[in-house]
Amino acid sequence: VNCLVRAGVNPVSLGPLMIDIQDPVLGAEDRELLTHPLVGGVILFTRNYADPEQLSALTRDLHNLRSPPLLIAVDHEGGRVQRFRDQFTELPPARAYGTLYDQNPEQGLRFTEQMAWLLASELRTAGVDLSFAPVVDLDMNVSTVIGDRALHRDPKAVGELARAWVLGMRRAGMAACAKHFPGHGAVAGDSHHMLPVDTRSLTEIRNRDLKPYQRLIRMDIPAIMMAHVVYPNVDSVPASLSRKWIGSELRGALEYGGAVFCDDLSMHGAAGAGSYTDRAHAALSAGCDMLPVCNNRAGVIEILDNMKDVSDPQRQWRLTRLHGGKGTPREELMAGADWRDARAALERYHGAGAFTLT
């Protein structure tokens, strides 16, 4: 790997790549890759977790590698997508919040905020900066990969529920990242394995899928993740690699000023852009700030060997504001009234049959 920096280098900025690591502890190659100037973040998976103490030690190690610290992220939504389970609260799928909202909007919003706070608080006490949540794709009963990860079918309800979710995470000191812009709910295909195509018009998408984003942008949501979906009536390339979607629509029409994440460049939905280096260049050129590359170490190394300096002061500001606030020690968190109230609410609704925990 001819351009990896020596371990111990202390870069002064966060690069645009977010990469994964192999094990619950850092190996020598992990450390070398994570200190490369093009790397700015790390995404954790279930294989990186043993227990809360191990996770806290791992995040301390990761944060101490460089300054500013690497961003540590995880896909932790609840339901099917929850990377850490043992000794973490098992959270319901997002659809449960929408179901409660239909029965009683006030209770549904309150419960959503509590569960988002619980999710973020438990991650923050272990040193995780960012969870890629909430999903704000509309539940159109089409996409199996989204399915019960969606909050609701109605854009207004999704906007209200997503706002409560973001407020809960914010109260816990964690940034939220809404996904998948402009919307993944109207396509059956899974972008992990194919490139889905959504043939709707821009007007239809604006009138439905973008409504929740408008509300979240007004409340200054700090991060949004793009979809690996092609909308041929808008652009011929996936939204994640599209200047029209990111520059004209998200940054322009919606006046969004926060961080833009590409979805994982290892997914099949990005493969049409070419090599991993080509994919990374396309995403950056389109306006993405951070590019996750997951479960493909060779792809990461290819990018690091071939990509030139891509520093950007505006990107630095957008990314550094995603670092988590001060986390409460785990024992203190679990002894607090907010944690006990949230757990009691979860047990009450689950016991009443409002949803099923997996």
Side-chain angles (χ1 to χ4, degrees), residues 76-79 81-82 89-120 133-135 148-153 157-158 160-162 164-166 342 345-346 349 354-357:
H76 199 89
E77 306 164 9
V81 182
Q82 181 170 332
T89 298
E90 187 177 358
L91 296 162
R95 181 178 288 166
Y97 309 133
T99 299
L100 290 174
Y101 176 89
D102 284 340
Q103 298 167 4
N104 185 312
E106 183 178 349
Q107 289 182 3
L109 294 174
R110 171 59 179 160
F111 185 62
T112 303
E113 194 272 347
Q114 281 185 300
M115 294 303 100
W117 174 86
L118 183 60
L119 176 157
V135 170
D148 65 1
R149 297 167 64 196
L151 289 159
H152 205 280
R153 64 189 177 278
V158 172
E160 292 185 354
L161 289 161
W165 190 309
V166 172
L346 177 64
Y349 286 118
F355 51 81
T356 300
L357 295 172

Side-chain angles (χ1 to χ4, degrees), residues 11-186:
V12 296
S13 63
L14 295 176
L17 291 191
M18 174 170 276
I19 69 174
D20 60 326
I21 58 177
Q22 302 298 309
D23 299 303
V25 296
L26 290 179
E29 185 180 69
D30 293 325
R31 292 178 183 276
E32 191 173 16
L33 292 170
L34 290 167
T35 52
H36 192 290
L38 288 174
V39 175
V42 58
I43 180 168
L44 301 180
F45 290 91
T46 301
R47 66 175 180 269
N48 305 125
Y49 178 73
D51 55 54
E53 292 73 24
Q54 167 272 326
L55 180 60
S56 296
L58 175 61
T59 59
R60 282 195 301 271
D61 205 0
L62 287 165
H63 280 144
N64 288 335
L65 277 175
R66 51 192 286 180
S67 180
L70 293 164
L71 284 171
I72 303 175
V74 66
D75 275 315
H76 199 89
E77 306 164 9
R80 288 178 288 144
V81 182
Q82 181 170 332
R83 304 304 187 204
F84 314 140
R85 293 184 182 270
D86 182 34
Q87 299 184 63
F88 272 76
T89 298
E90 187 177 358
L91 296 162
R95 181 178 288 166
Y97 309 133
T99 299
L100 290 174
Y101 176 89
D102 284 340
Q103 298 167 4
N104 185 312
E106 183 178 349
Q107 289 182 3
L109 294 174
R110 171 59 179 160
F111 185 62
T112 303
E113 194 272 347
Q114 281 185 300
M115 294 303 100
W117 174 86
L118 183 60
L119 176 157
S121 293
E122 292 187 344
L123 290 174
R124 283 300 306 130
T125 196
V128 177
D129 292 303
L130 173 69
S131 180
F132 291 125
V135 170
V136 297
D137 303 313
L138 304 184
D139 185 5
M140 300 183 188
N141 198 29
V142 172
S143 174
T144 56
V145 72
I146 300 301
D148 65 1
R149 297 167 64 196
L151 289 159
H152 205 280
R153 64 189 177 278
D154 179 65
K156 181 177 182 293
V158 172
E160 292 185 354
L161 289 161
R163 179 181 181 274
W165 190 309
V166 172
L167 289 174
M169 292 181 69
R170 185 176 292 175
R171 181 162 65 93
M174 176 174 279
C177 180
K179 59 187 185 185
H180 305 82
F181 186 91
H184 206 304

